[in-house]
Every structure is written in structure tokens, then in C-alpha cells.
Amino acid sequence: MSDDDHELQTFRALVESADRKFARVRDAPTYDHGGSQSHLFQKVFKAYTRLWKFQQENRAKLVQSGLNRWEIGEIASRIGQLYFSQYMRTSECRFLIEAYVFYEAILSRRYFQGSKASSSPKDLGVRSKELRFYARFLLVSLILNRVDMVKHLMNCFVALVDDCRSNFRETNFKEWKQVVQEIVRFTKVDNGFSVRSMRYCSAIDTHRASLPYVARFHAKRVLKFQDALLTSYHRNEVKFAELTLDTYRMIQCLEWEPSVSFLQRHTVKPNENGDIIDHSGASAIIDLNLAADMTDPTMPPNPRKATLYHPTVTHLMAVMATICEELPPDSVVLVYLSASGKACLNNVSQMENSGSVGSSKYSRRSIFSRTTQEQNSGTSESQSRGKSELSCYDNYLWFGPKGDGGSNNLYPGDLIPFTRKPLFLIIDSDNSHAFKVLHGAERGETAALFLSPLKPLFKNPSDVNLHNGSQFTFFLTAPLSAFCQMIGLFPSETDTDVYSEAENILTNAFTEWEIIICSTTSMDIVWAQMISDPFLRRLILRFIFCRSVISFLCPPEESEQYLPLCLPNLPNSVAPKSEAVRSAVMQLAGHFDVADSFYFTDT
């Protein structure tokens, strides 16, 4: 056996060993932060570290012995997939960037494309690997907000699918055609409002004037925000792979924007001829103990996020139980649930089809028991608790593909056991208000609740595609873009200076509201113990903005179904029609010349 053959045999053995380890973690749950999964991931990283370095050191001999370029690309693709999996488990942006580096190296060196010049250009297996590579790179680029790369990859991906259909006529590429449709639809919706990143940007989202007030604010107990559970389940919702548009927006909203210097260190730049510089080893850093420069020193760690795609109710509750069980002391879990609602006595669609305000109110009265009314009128907790529990299983969110089976129903009462730990619940549904009954029925910790409107509100409803994500989630993740969508403007159609000035108006308003909130003596302890966290504080400010905008845009007699709710109540100083909040909405509406669409005079 020649030395070259020996090198190739060693390489094949390393590939087989790494692939076996990879198979064990490929479908590992993203919400398991225990030591067992971490230990397995370390083994996989070490296996691919050994494999990647071996092929680098012996590349010439391996190629001479018959190693194909696509095989190198497949290794790099697996490494990128492994890094992305780590990002989904830990929410650490360094893993996402490293996945991007490996995928970009595959693209720039044309590992898979090089197979077309070989003696068997129509190898279906290789082309399938190339299709999967593009789909995964698209997902990473989407989350990392590399807009130009997404456009380039889309063009390549569409061309590849068309080429495969013409060269492999006996093969059905229906699933890949569906993937193409998904990414086109996803980017079309997202690009319409891609004004700036939804991630937390220190330069924009940290309000300098209010920082001293935030720093001085003190609560007896301060909760750390380290874990989130995000899921949406709607029929025909915009998605790509297993990432829905609403979940994508929440993921972005709950992460720090990496600093420019950090991104520049980990971006492959084109040279003067426009070609991508060929770094010899992509990064070659495939170890959990990454070098210090792989961590952005200017940013705190991101909260960990468990993202579930169309889970069953039992799976959702199992994940919640795992997260709550592993929750560190004095920490809070943010739970975002977006799903259709089904009401026991009157279907939501029947409510929406009701022509008169009176009948709408009657339906609401039937759906929501007197318990909620008694809570709002100030009855004691001891009186309301027993009655509210009777309503905890009347209405629900629907987590199912079709049918109306009880196994697909998530009831408010299902969440009560988890209130033994601090929860921040965001319910985005056309039946969200049914979850008001949780307030007062907790089993240890008073939950913070954001409940979406029952119906979205638009100035020109006929101009809006209601399947393009939730309006409430849009307000929480991109408030100015949501405002523009609501009044019928698109940022891409708006003059840059006009939109920038609108950003300044909103920033100044948030600064003022932060000062008001952190100076008040009437804030409920539930909000007081969360207000120090920048992510949760930003969500609270955006909720205040969303609620006020809707309160002025909707007819007063219809506010019940259009207004979002928060429990416990936020201070009256930031109520929807308080002077500080009202003046900011008026200024923004006047800036876009749409003040006549709002009911400011009625206040």
C-alpha cells in the first residue's frame, strides 16, 4: 500500500468516526443545557477538529489518491451545521458567525460546483448535498442579517433547483421547489421592512439620558433574564425551514448586535478583483474552548432561547418543565406563544364576522367569564382566585395541524404549574385575552403578562397581507416599521431623512418613558424586578408604544378587541393616553402627515 493510499484510508476512517458522533447530536434538543449534551458536543468538535486538520495537512496526497472536492465541502458543511446547532443551543453569536465563515468558504472555493467538471457531473447524491448546503447557508445568513448574501444565495439556489430538474427528470424535486417558495416568500415579507437590525444595538437602544435613572433604580429583588421559550403555530404562516417569521423576529429581538469591529474580524472580504480571498483553513477553530477573539468583549451574553417549530402541547409543556427545572435562582423565563385561538362558546371567526359592536361585546362577554370583570373592578385576590380557576380551562390556544382535538389545546390552566417560577408570558393570539385568568391564579410567583389584541388594526386593511406575521409581535420587535405598516407606509418608500427623524422621535420618547418608569413609586413589583434588564425593559417600552398607537387609531367603541393588555398594570404615568405617551404618538403621526387618521381630539 502506498503512502497516499494510507493517507486516504486514514481520512476515510476519520470521516466515518466523525459522522457517527455527529449523528448522535444532530437531533439533540436545543433546550437541554445539561452536561450530557455538552459532553457529546465536545466529542464531536474534537473529532472534526482532527479530521479538518488532517485534510489540511495532507490535502495534496488525498487529492492525488482520488479525494473529490465535494468531500472537503461536505466536511466543512458538517462543521458549519455543528456550529449552527451550537448557536441554537446557546444563543452565542460567535457560533453563528463561525458557521457563516465555514459556509462562505465552501461557496468561495466552489467545492460542490467543482464536481460539475468531473467525469460524472450528474451525481444526484452530490447535487443533493449541494442543495442542502445552500438551504443551510441561507438560514444562517438570514439570522445573521447578511442581506446581500441572502440575495446571492437565493439566485444560486433557484438556478441549482432548476438545473437539477432538467438533468434529473426521473427525480421529483417538489420538496426543493417548496423550499424555494418558502425563502422567496420569507424574504419578500422581511425585506419590505428591513430598515435596521432588530437586535439590541447599544448605540441606538441604550438611551444615554435615562441611563442614570435606570442605574439608580432599585428593587428589593432583581431577576436575571437568561432563558426564553419561543414558538408559533399558525396555518399558512410565513416560514423558512423550521423558522417562522414571528419566531425569527423574536430571536432577533432578544440578541445583542455584535460590534462592528467584531464582525469585521470574522468576515471574509473580496479582494480587488472581486473574488473571495481564499483563507486556507476557513477558521480551523472547531473547539468549544474558542480563542478569546471569538467572543465579542463589548457585549454581554445573549439569553438562551429554545425555539420550537409547531410543537405538540405535550412537547411544549415538557420543554417548559425542563427550562423551569434548570432555571437559576432569581431568574425569569420569557415564554412567547403565538397561535390561533379557539373559544368554547363562540368561535373567534364568528366574532370577527359580527357586524355590530353590540354583538361583538356580547360574544366577548360569553367567552370571558365574570371572573375577569370582577378582577378588573378591584375584587380581592381571595375572592377572585376560586372563580378564575373555573375559567382556566374554558378557552385555549390551538397547537394542531387540523381538527379540534383536545390534545392540541393549550389551556391557561396548563401554565399554572409553571408559575412557581418567575414567568414573563407573551401570548399573541386572537384568543389571548382568555389568558387574563392566569393573573391571580399563580402558584408562587406573580406572572408578567403581555396579551395581544384579538384583531390587528390597519388604516387600509385591504392593502395588508394578514399572513405576513403578527402585528403585535412586529410592534415588539420593530416598532417603527410596525407603525408604518399600520398606517400604510413602507420604509423603503419613505425618504431616508424622514424615517431617520421618525427614529429620533421614537428614541426620545423611549428615553422619556424610561425616566418616568424608573422614577415612579407606584410600579408593581413584578415589573420593578424586571425593569433593569435591557431586553425586557425594551419590550415594555415597545408595548407602551403599541398600546397607545392602537388606542388612538381604533374607534373608541371598538377598543376592547383591538387593544393589547398587560397584567399587572403598568404605572398610570405611561398609560395609553397619558400626556407623555400621547404627545409622542401625536408627534410621530404628524411627522408622517397621518394625524387625521387618529382620534386625538377625543382625549
Side-chain angles (χ1 to χ4, degrees), residues 213-222 528 532:
Y213 296 87
V214 175
R216 286 198 299 267
F217 183 83
H218 179 70
K220 292 182 179 179
R221 182 190 187 195
V222 176
S532 297

Side-chain angles (χ1 to χ4, degrees), residues 257-543:
E257 180 74 10
S259 64
V260 175
S261 59
F262 178 69
L263 286 174
Q264 287 176 344
R265 288 201 304 270
H266 302 282
T267 301
V268 181
K269 296 183 177 181
N271 61 20
E272 295 178 356
N273 297 324
D275 297 327
I276 301 297
I277 298 174
D278 186 5
H279 296 295
S280 60
S283 79
I285 304 174
I286 43 177
D287 186 82
L288 287 181
N289 299 317
L290 296 177
D293 68 346
M294 272 300 293
T295 302
D296 189 347
T298 65
M299 294 290 107
N302 290 324
R304 295 177 300 192
K305 297 175 289 295
T307 305
L308 304 182
Y309 174 71
H310 286 190
T312 62
V313 170
T314 51
H315 180 52
L316 174 64
M317 295 180 67
V319 175
M320 284 190 65
T322 299
I323 293 175
C324 288
E325 178 67 21
E326 298 177 355
L327 190 69
D330 289 329
S331 296
V332 60
V333 178
L334 184 148
V335 179
Y336 168 82
L337 305 176
S338 177
S340 299
K342 298 288 181 178
C344 284
L345 301 180
N346 289 281
N347 190 285
V348 173
S349 63
Q350 294 175 335
M351 294 166 50
E352 293 182 353
N353 293 331
S354 174
S356 66
V357 174
S359 61
S360 174
K361 289 184 177 181
Y362 177 79
S363 299
R364 295 260 303 141
R365 201 170 292 119
S366 300
I367 294 173
F368 306 123
S369 68
R370 287 182 300 172
T371 302
T372 304
Q373 298 175 23
E374 292 174 353
Q375 287 176 339
N376 290 339
S377 63
T379 57
S380 68
E381 181 178 340
S382 60
Q383 290 175 316
S384 64
R385 180 182 295 273
K387 295 181 179 180
S388 67
E389 289 177 357
L390 296 178
S391 303
C392 285
Y393 295 95
D394 285 347
N395 306 291
Y396 50 86
L397 301 185
W398 188 37
F399 285 82
K402 59 182 179 179
D404 199 25
S407 61
N408 295 326
N409 303 340
L410 179 71
Y411 298 93
D414 293 333
L415 302 180
I416 291 177
F418 304 107
T419 59
R420 291 174 171 83
K421 297 291 182 72
L423 296 182
F424 187 162
L425 293 171
I426 301 177
I427 309 294
D428 193 345
S429 172
D430 49 14
N431 198 26
S432 63
H433 292 190
F435 284 72
K436 288 191 294 186
V437 297
L438 286 175
H439 185 59
E442 296 94 343
R443 286 294 180 266
E445 298 279 351
T446 302
L449 296 173
F450 277 179
L451 307 177
S452 73
L454 303 182
K455 296 171 64 176
L457 181 66
F458 300 100
K459 179 184 175 183
N460 302 309
S462 60
D463 297 337
V464 180
N465 186 343
L466 297 181
H467 292 295
N468 288 352
S470 160
Q471 183 182 68
F472 183 61
T473 297
F474 204 16
F475 263 103
L476 294 181
T477 56
L480 188 54
S481 295
F483 179 86
C484 288
Q485 183 194 61
M486 173 181 279
I487 63 177
L489 295 177
F490 287 84
S492 57
E493 300 172 354
T494 307
D495 183 84
T496 303
D497 293 337
V498 172
Y499 196 85
S500 296
E501 181 58 31
E503 285 278 11
N504 291 334
I505 293 173
L506 200 57
T507 297
N508 292 335
F510 285 176
T511 300
E512 181 182 1
W513 301 348
E514 274 193 353
I515 294 174
I516 292 173
I517 288 175
C518 293
S519 302
T520 186
T521 58
S522 60
M523 187 186 304
D524 190 283
I525 185 62
V526 172
W527 302 113
Q529 60 192 9
M530 297 182 186
I531 204 71
S532 297
D533 181 85
F535 291 109
L536 302 185
R537 185 169 66 251
R538 188 171 67 157
L539 287 174
I540 292 171
L541 295 173
R542 290 174 172 181
F543 177 89

Side-chain angles (χ1 to χ4, degrees), residues 42-330:
Q42 288 182 28
K43 286 187 174 181
V44 181
F45 269 99
K46 288 180 179 179
Y48 276 102
T49 299
R50 191 181 312 116
L51 173 59
W52 188 252
K53 289 183 177 180
F54 182 85
Q55 66 84 21
Q56 281 185 301
E57 295 168 355
N58 300 275
R59 176 74 62 83
K61 294 181 180 179
L62 291 171
V63 171
Q64 188 175 355
S65 298
L67 180 69
N68 294 303
R69 286 183 59 79
W70 66 260
E71 293 182 90
I72 303 172
E74 177 69 358
I75 296 171
S77 182
R78 283 285 177 90
I79 294 172
Q81 189 178 353
L82 191 61
Y83 271 120
F84 181 71
S85 178
Q86 276 294 85
Y87 161 74
M88 294 300 291
R89 291 180 70 250
T90 65
S91 296
E92 293 186 38
C93 195
R94 55 178 177 158
F95 292 123
L96 184 65
I97 294 174
E98 194 69 359
Y100 184 92
V101 168
F102 269 90
Y103 285 141
E104 191 175 44
I106 297 169
L107 183 70
S108 63
R109 298 167 200 175
R110 303 175 182 175
Y111 282 130
F112 290 110
Q113 293 178 12
S115 65
K116 296 177 184 178
S118 66
S119 58
S120 56
K122 295 186 178 182
D123 187 331
L124 180 59
V126 176
R127 303 308 289 278
S128 298
K129 294 177 186 295
E130 188 176 4
L131 285 167
R132 287 193 292 270
F133 154 70
Y134 275 113
R136 289 165 182 157
F137 194 7
L138 271 166
L139 184 58
V140 169
S141 299
L142 270 176
I143 298 177
L144 203 51
N145 292 323
R146 299 296 175 91
V147 178
D148 292 338
M149 180 59 78
V150 169
K151 292 179 181 177
H152 176 66
L153 291 172
M154 280 181 59
N155 294 333
C156 296
F157 187 51
V158 171
L160 180 61
V161 172
D162 290 340
D163 182 70
C164 288
R165 289 173 61 196
S166 62
N167 285 316
F168 302 95
R169 296 184 182 277
E170 70 283 1
T171 304
N172 188 347
F173 286 91
K174 181 179 179 180
E175 291 184 0
W176 287 114
K177 288 174 60 180
Q178 184 177 346
V179 173
V180 169
Q181 293 170 355
E182 285 184 359
I183 188 61
V184 170
R185 186 183 179 200
F186 194 104
T187 54
K188 182 179 180 180
V189 173
D190 187 51
N191 288 342
F193 293 95
S194 58
V195 178
R196 73 173 183 89
S197 173
M198 287 180 281
R199 286 188 169 90
Y200 194 107
C201 178
S202 296
I204 299 174
D205 295 304
T206 300
H207 312 304
R208 305 298 175 186
S210 59
L211 273 180
Y213 296 87
V214 175
R216 286 198 299 267
F217 183 83
H218 179 70
K220 292 182 179 179
R221 182 190 187 195
V222 176
L223 296 177
K224 298 177 182 178
F225 173 41
Q226 295 180 332
D227 288 275
L229 172 61
L230 313 174
T231 187
S232 65
Y233 201 138
H234 297 274
R235 298 187 68 179
N236 300 320
E237 61 186 329
V238 177
K239 73 178 190 70
F240 178 60
E242 294 188 348
L243 185 67
T244 66
L245 180 63
D246 287 336
T247 305
Y248 163 79
R249 287 171 172 168
M250 288 301 298
I251 287 175
Q252 298 274 304
C253 178
L254 300 178
E255 291 191 352
W256 295 97
E257 180 74 10
S259 64
V260 175
S261 59
F262 178 69
L263 286 174
Q264 287 176 344
R265 288 201 304 270
H266 302 282
T267 301
V268 181
K269 296 183 177 181
N271 61 20
E272 295 178 356
N273 297 324
D275 297 327
I276 301 297
I277 298 174
D278 186 5
H279 296 295
S280 60
S283 79
I285 304 174
I286 43 177
D287 186 82
L288 287 181
N289 299 317
L290 296 177
D293 68 346
M294 272 300 293
T295 302
D296 189 347
T298 65
M299 294 290 107
N302 290 324
R304 295 177 300 192
K305 297 175 289 295
T307 305
L308 304 182
Y309 174 71
H310 286 190
T312 62
V313 170
T314 51
H315 180 52
L316 174 64
M317 295 180 67
V319 175
M320 284 190 65
T322 299
I323 293 175
C324 288
E325 178 67 21
E326 298 177 355
L327 190 69
D330 289 329

